[in-house]
Amino acid sequence: MRPVARAIGVVLTGSALVLTAGAASARPADTGVGQTAREVAAIDWEPCIEDLTAECGTLRLPIDHQKPSVGEFDLAVARRKATDPAGRIGVLLINPGGPGNSGVDYTIFRQESFSADVRARFDIVGFDPRGVRRTQPVRCSTDLVQRQPSTYPKTEAEFDDLVSYNRELREDCRERSGPIFDHTDTGATIQDMDAIRRSLGEKKINYYGLSYGTLMGQQYAERYGDKIRAMVLDSNMDHSLGTTSFAVTEAKAAEGAFTEWAKWCDRTTSCALHGKDVTEVWDGLLAKADRGEVRHPGDPSKTLTAQDIVTSALGAFHRPAWGPLAQFVADLDARQPTQVSAFAADEVVDNVFPSVFCEDWHLPVRDFTEYRALVAAERGVSPHMRGGGRAHSSITACLGWPDPVNNRQHRLDIDNAPKILMVNALYDPATAYSWAANAHRQTRGTTMLLTYEGWGHGVYGRSACVDTAVDTYLATVKTPKLNARCAAVEPASVAGETFPR
């Protein structure tokens, strides 16, 4: 899950990390849910401009599946065909989450994220969900986005200002983006996913969803379960949670990730804070930031807030980039310069997160009194990470949005699907392990949870144990044993490694 966050441009530097379409023969309208579906054309694949070894195209779909008269949009898709056509099993539809991450980019540039065996057996197909990147992106004023007030208001007046700002931003984005803005929720996206299946002429698909992509997979399985051969949900959302439970469980996850980082520094001599009380150094640095004593490493005329530093740490915990984070904290504490990457200004900026998240979740905070109670609950379970930040910034991004939402929370109910494999890290800072456990409890008859006893956001690719389980499942549809676990693999510290954004 990637929330709206104020861009501060603090990252460690070092080694980092036009689509065309045409109408072809129509595919049968086969939803498997007793409904009449709109016929969709086959995708007219052509080499991708970014990489001629991949294929790109678009699929023309209605903005509102219930009211086609609202208009249409072009859904961007990309494909890499199975490298072993004779051993091909089918299509592996993918989404890397966000909301706002590009499945087209993931397919074109991140093919090594999947094992050679998976690439041999499956056509890997990624898409940019409605409102994302190449698919009629949600656009907002860059100046307005950059004027975002603090998501941690200290007074009732600041809280009211944040509510007013959110309303202003929503109207700006809505005006610039057109009708698609009101139809970017996951409920609409899963219908697009099934349109992709039909356009490819596939009776069943396989699916890999990461982070927010797991919510797409979960809801696709609820509605189109009989159209699934295999599904892997990596780092899971729990769409049954209310405001306080959503915020508190994520805050606990952030605090747990911090504790694990501190333990790593204690046992690792290469850690820049090794031999020191990491918690004491950290808390002291945040206290300095509260007093306005921590200068922005790229612009000494500016200061960093404690929340800026916490946000950077949360990004580091995703990988996890523990070594670079320790050096970053040590440098700030010693007032040493650190190179940064700046947020580039433009007239408009893509900003799909709130339009998706605020239509998927009803997480009301009705006034400043309720807000203060929420912050107290967050900080009560996450004192060193100041209450976390991912869930908090997501909730505060929706303050002032109108009710009802398009795709309100509910308990997960999957009863017409094959066994689905869920995987989650025990110390995931973004999608709490408790979310995966709870989603699994709601669907015990149709899901299997594989626990990775390590760290970071996104499990596939972290250990041979996890990779073997996922690859075997995709190839044979055989899930691991009940309560299966994979041991943690100590993360390597790579010199010059950057924080994930």
Side-chain angles (χ1 to χ4, degrees):
M1 182 182 72
R2 181 179 61 84
V4 168
R6 192 176 186 177
I8 63 169
V10 178
V11 295
L12 299 185
T13 60
S15 59
L17 282 171
V18 174
L19 307 179
T20 57
S25 58
R27 299 294 184 184
D30 176 18
T31 67
V33 291
Q35 297 181 355
T36 301
R38 177 180 181 269
E39 286 191 345
V40 292
I43 299 167
D44 185 11
W45 298 104
E46 295 188 5
C48 298
I49 293 174
E50 300 89 340
D51 184 343
L52 299 181
T53 66
E55 298 176 305
C56 287
T58 57
L59 186 60
R60 192 76 171 165
L61 296 174
I63 291 173
D64 186 336
H65 285 278
Q66 281 64 54
K67 298 178 181 178
S69 61
V70 171
E72 296 181 320
F73 72 101
D74 290 324
L75 182 78
V77 290
R79 175 174 71 179
R80 287 190 178 276
K81 285 187 174 181
T83 58
D84 178 14
R88 178 186 181 275
I89 292 174
V91 165
L92 178 63
L93 187 65
I94 65 168
N95 185 273
N101 293 339
S102 167
V104 170
D105 282 352
Y106 206 85
T107 302
I108 295 174
F109 302 114
R110 298 284 301 276
Q111 59 176 313
E112 298 300 324
S113 296
F114 296 98
S115 69
D117 186 63
V118 170
R119 298 197 306 270
R121 294 171 182 266
F122 295 94
D123 295 345
I124 295 175
V125 177
F127 66 103
D128 285 359
R130 44 181 63 213
V132 175
R133 295 277 286 169
R134 301 164 181 83
T135 299
Q136 201 162 328
V138 168
R139 294 284 175 83
C140 311
S141 163
T142 301
D143 176 67
L144 188 56
V145 170
Q146 292 182 318
R147 285 195 284 111
Q148 178 188 339
S150 171
T151 57
Y152 284 85
K154 295 181 175 63
T155 66
E156 187 168 4
E158 289 182 357
F159 177 85
D160 292 341
D161 286 344
L162 179 57
V163 171
S164 297
Y165 168 83
N166 286 345
R167 289 172 176 161
E168 181 184 3
L169 179 63
R170 179 181 182 275
E171 289 309 309
D172 175 84
C173 302
R174 195 166 185 260
E175 181 178 350
R176 292 174 186 271
S177 306
I180 198 77
F181 182 86
D182 294 323
H183 300 279
T184 57
D185 58 280
T186 298
T189 295
I190 64 170
Q191 295 176 74
D192 299 341
M193 291 163 59
D194 201 61
I196 295 173
R197 176 190 65 80
R198 301 196 311 272
S199 76
L200 296 173
E202 298 286 333
K203 290 184 177 181
K204 295 179 183 287
I205 59 168
N206 306 277
Y207 179 77
Y208 171 83
L210 172 63
S211 191
Y212 211 81
T214 65
L215 182 58
M216 299 175 191
Q218 291 168 8
Q219 296 200 348
Y220 185 88
E222 285 184 300
R223 182 166 182 173
Y224 303 105
D226 64 330
K227 300 305 174 188
I228 299 168
R229 175 189 169 272
M231 177 174 284
V232 178
L233 302 178
D234 186 346
S235 305
N236 284 261
M237 300 296 297
D238 179 2
H239 199 233
S240 69
L241 301 175
T243 306
T244 301
S245 55
F246 181 69
V248 168
T249 50
E250 197 281 336
K252 284 182 179 178
E255 187 74 7
F258 171 86
T259 301
E260 290 298 303
W261 169 60
K263 290 178 179 177
W264 176 82
C265 276
D266 286 343
R267 67 176 182 265
T268 307
T269 57
S270 62
C271 174
L273 299 174
H274 182 69
K276 299 181 179 180
D277 186 325
V278 175
T279 299
E280 183 177 329
V281 172
W282 173 263
D283 289 344
L285 178 62
L286 296 190
K288 290 178 185 177
D290 288 337
R291 297 191 296 269
E293 298 173 3
V294 180
R295 294 293 167 182
H296 192 297
D299 185 352
S301 67
K302 299 179 181 178
T303 59
L304 290 182
T305 67
Q307 197 56 44
D308 291 336
I309 298 169
V310 166
T311 299
S312 293
L314 283 169
F317 293 154
H318 273 61
R319 189 166 293 173
W322 284 342
L325 173 61
Q327 189 63 58
F328 175 67
V329 169
D331 288 347
L332 286 181
D333 190 53
R335 296 182 173 84
Q336 296 295 321
T338 301
Q339 290 181 295
V340 300
S341 170
F343 182 76
D346 201 353
E347 182 181 355
V348 293
V349 64
D350 294 357
N351 188 34
V352 74
F353 185 94
S355 71
V356 177
F357 188 88
C358 300
E359 289 294 354
D360 276 344
W361 299 80
H362 178 66
L363 300 169
V365 180
R366 297 174 182 83
D367 53 37
F368 186 58
T369 299
E370 286 192 6
Y371 170 78
R372 286 192 300 181
L374 180 67
V375 171
E378 292 172 335
R379 295 196 175 186
V381 299
S382 182
H384 301 300
M385 290 298 288
R386 301 283 181 96
R390 302 299 190 192
H392 180 96
S393 59
S394 301
I395 292 169
T396 55
C398 304
L399 294 175
W401 276 56
D403 292 332
V405 303
N406 289 348
N407 185 38
R408 189 168 178 161
Q409 301 101 287
H410 61 273
R411 285 182 60 83
L412 189 56
D413 181 16
I414 303 173
D415 56 14
N416 191 28
K419 279 286 187 180
I420 292 169
L421 177 59
M422 293 178 165
V423 292
N424 222 95
L426 202 54
Y427 303 104
D428 187 323
T431 51
Y433 179 78
S434 63
W435 294 358
N438 199 35
H440 172 52
R441 276 193 295 270
Q442 295 168 30
T443 56
R444 280 196 179 275
T446 51
T447 63
M448 180 67 69
L449 176 60
L450 172 63
T451 300
Y452 172 62
E453 297 176 324
W455 315 272
H457 183 53
V459 172
Y460 183 61
R462 290 194 182 274
S463 78
C465 174
V466 171
D467 295 355
T468 298
V470 171
D471 289 356
T472 299
Y473 167 73
L474 287 175
T476 66
V477 201
K478 293 181 180 178
T479 58
K481 294 180 180 179
L482 185 66
N483 301 322
R485 304 176 80 87
C486 285
V489 176
E490 193 82 353
S493 256
V494 180
E497 183 179 25
T498 62
F499 286 176
R501 295 193 181 205

